[in-house]
Amino acid sequence: MAERIEASATGTAAGDEARRKRILYRCQHRGMKEMDILLGGYAKAHIGSLPEDRLDILERLMDVPDQDLFNWMIGRVAVPAEHDTDIYRAVVAFKTAGDRSPSDFSA
């Protein structure tokens, strides 16, 4: 967590790039293959265009256990209000549309 705050606080291009790479890696290597595909696919397609505030939201979403997140995404369990964010909905839309889904957060 301190590493996340430090990279944001520096505001440097190198710090921003490192943060984006770290987020992409975490999205692609979650432990549950289905979540690697869902989050990793979204992150790979959109990580470069997400503004910093959306990266914060994505990092909070990544802190959710895989099984909980997967159950929300397949509709087995309702998404808690605190996680029903524009980023969560963008990931679900990306999953539904596949790689053809445009980012709502292009720079």
Side-chain angles (χ1 to χ4, degrees):
M1 178 77 100
E3 194 174 349
R4 186 182 316 166
I5 293 168
E6 184 180 318
S8 298
T10 63
T12 66
D16 183 58
E17 182 64 24
R19 180 183 186 201
R20 289 175 192 277
K21 285 181 180 180
R22 205 168 30 254
I23 291 170
L24 178 59
Y25 183 86
R26 284 186 62 204
C27 284
Q28 293 176 324
H29 299 88
R30 295 199 42 96
M32 184 175 170
K33 189 62 174 173
E34 294 85 353
M35 293 313 305
D36 294 349
I37 293 167
L38 294 173
L39 272 181
Y42 175 81
K44 183 177 180 183
H46 301 294
I47 196 75
S49 64
L50 290 175
E52 200 165 313
D53 63 328
R54 300 298 188 243
L55 292 175
D56 295 340
I57 295 167
L58 182 56
E59 285 181 314
R60 284 193 297 276
L61 191 60
M62 290 185 319
D63 290 338
V64 174
D66 281 347
Q67 196 61 51
D68 293 342
L69 193 54
F70 184 71
N71 284 331
W72 302 343
M73 289 192 173
I74 64 171
R76 187 176 293 157
V77 178
V79 181
E82 67 269 17
H83 291 292
D84 190 10
T85 63
D86 51 357
I87 287 292
Y88 171 78
R89 289 187 299 273
V91 172
V92 171
F94 183 81
K95 170 192 72 102
T96 303
D99 291 337
R100 298 175 310 277
S101 177
S103 174
D104 294 332
F105 309 109
S106 297

